[in-house]
Amino acid sequence: MESSSFLQDLNIVSPIVTSALAVFLFAEGARRKSSKYLAYCILVISTILWSRYLFFSRSVLVLPLPFVVFPAIWFPGPLFRRHLLPGADEHQNHRWFLMPSILAALSLVVHSVFLFYTPELQSTRAILEHQGFVSTYTSAYVILAVLFNLFHFGTGIRNVRVAPDSKRGSSLTGLMALAWTLVLYMLTHLMLVICTLFGWLQHPFHPVEALASLALAYTFVHVSLKYNPQALHPSAKYSKQSINPEEVKNHLETLRAHMEREKPFLEEGITLQELARQTDIPAHHLSIVINTELSMNFFTFINEYRIAEAKRLLQDPAYSDYTLLRIAYEAGFQSKAGFNKAFKRQTGRAPGEFRKRSPEIRE
């Protein structure tokens, strides 16, 4: 395989850009804990792009490279999908990353076995030629990983589009631009890998894929500059509207105490302004506290308390004869459909399934 100097130059641009952007997002996340999932996603993608550059430059590092790339390739989709749900419970992250972690560990085991028994995988030259077993093995693996990531990207896009509380102004445009660019890049790579598998291409690292990676890097930078930092995280629009840390602490204590004691989330049509009036917190300050300190918007914040109340009722034997619709009304929801969607989005289970699995109800 001959790789032109032009293609080598072309292939080094996107990993450099994505690496720099990942560093920027990690720095942003260190201040606000807002962009870490997107930063990890871009870091993984950057690792994959660097591996492509090493392949084009015919580096000897391609031999150990699968031990890094094969486990990492399962994570971009789940990480980006998690970023699209800033209000999700941090303590339930195992639910998001259990499957990719299992697949990553399995990838290491499988590749170790193949490496031990397959001479082609022990040869740098055979890997660079990308023929025979090497081509079939890597192509099949990448196809599975790309399909897995496409599922998570697609699910994340659908969740944002259908969620009633996902109207985030210009940030929604930025998030969708990032998501669709990632999907198109994955589809391009999938097409090239399939062509390689059927022998129509010698290897999947084609100039078309290089251009797609450049488009991906450009979109990341463009969105960062145009919507920065709001497009990278829904709560980032408040980053320049700071309030005194002591005020933030007092507001949080007041807000949480009021939510637990008075349960305003049970009121129909509760608004930010009404909650601000009840707590004697300026509405502007209340909005900043919820969006930046709790990393969620007002409706997600209210729904979290409503879902917690619904879970309590579903687990209480005294309410076992209540229908799900009545439970929804008791928890502050105004429709069964909205209740089901919000409940499943936060817990991963439908209310009926949650009730059936409750130990108190089973007893």
Side-chain angles (χ1 to χ4, degrees), residues 293-312:
E293 298 302 316
L294 303 180
S295 297
M296 63 184 78
N297 60 36
F298 176 74
F299 294 105
T300 302
F301 171 72
I302 292 296
N303 276 349
E304 283 210 344
Y305 277 93
R306 287 174 173 169
I307 290 169
E309 178 71 9
K311 288 166 69 175
R312 184 186 70 80

Side-chain angles (χ1 to χ4, degrees), residues 5 8 32 35 45 76 87 89 104 107 109 134 149-150 174 187 194 212 214 229 253 266 283 286 295 306 353:
S5 59
Q8 280 189 255
R32 294 193 306 271
S35 305
I45 292 172
D89 188 353
S107 300
V109 173
V134 173
N149 282 288
L150 284 174
L187 288 173
I194 291 174
L214 281 177
E253 291 177 355
L266 299 180
L286 183 59
S295 297
R306 287 174 173 169
E353 182 186 358

Side-chain angles (χ1 to χ4, degrees), residues 2-79:
E2 294 185 2
S3 56
S4 67
S5 59
F6 171 74
L7 277 180
Q8 280 189 255
D9 294 340
L10 194 65
N11 275 282
I12 200 173
V13 175
S14 49
I16 289 177
V17 171
T18 50
S19 297
L21 185 57
V23 171
F24 166 75
L25 289 175
F26 276 119
E28 290 290 300
R31 290 199 299 270
R32 294 193 306 271
K33 297 182 180 179
S34 61
S35 305
K36 63 178 180 180
Y37 296 108
L38 184 60
Y40 280 122
C41 175
I42 297 176
L43 181 63
V44 172
I45 292 172
S46 175
T47 302
I48 297 169
L49 295 176
W50 276 114
S51 71
R52 190 195 60 209
Y53 173 73
L54 292 174
F55 185 88
F56 259 104
S57 61
R58 305 185 68 81
S59 170
V60 294
L61 292 176
V62 295
L63 193 60
L65 208 57
F67 286 103
V68 177
V69 177
F70 281 13
I73 201 173
W74 298 102
F75 286 93
L79 284 167

Side-chain angles (χ1 to χ4, degrees), residues 272-329:
L272 177 71
Q273 288 71 23
E274 175 59 21
L275 185 59
R277 186 191 65 78
Q278 294 178 10
T279 56
D280 287 327
I281 300 174
H284 181 62
H285 284 193
L286 183 59
S287 179
I288 292 176
V289 167
I290 293 174
N291 279 271
T292 61
E293 298 302 316
L294 303 180
S295 297
M296 63 184 78
N297 60 36
F298 176 74
F299 294 105
T300 302
F301 171 72
I302 292 296
N303 276 349
E304 283 210 344
Y305 277 93
R306 287 174 173 169
I307 290 169
E309 178 71 9
K311 288 166 69 175
R312 184 186 70 80
L313 297 176
L314 289 169
Q315 291 176 317
D316 191 338
Y319 296 89
S320 59
D321 59 336
Y322 277 36
T323 64
L324 293 179
L325 179 59
R326 188 172 179 185
I327 291 288
Y329 286 143

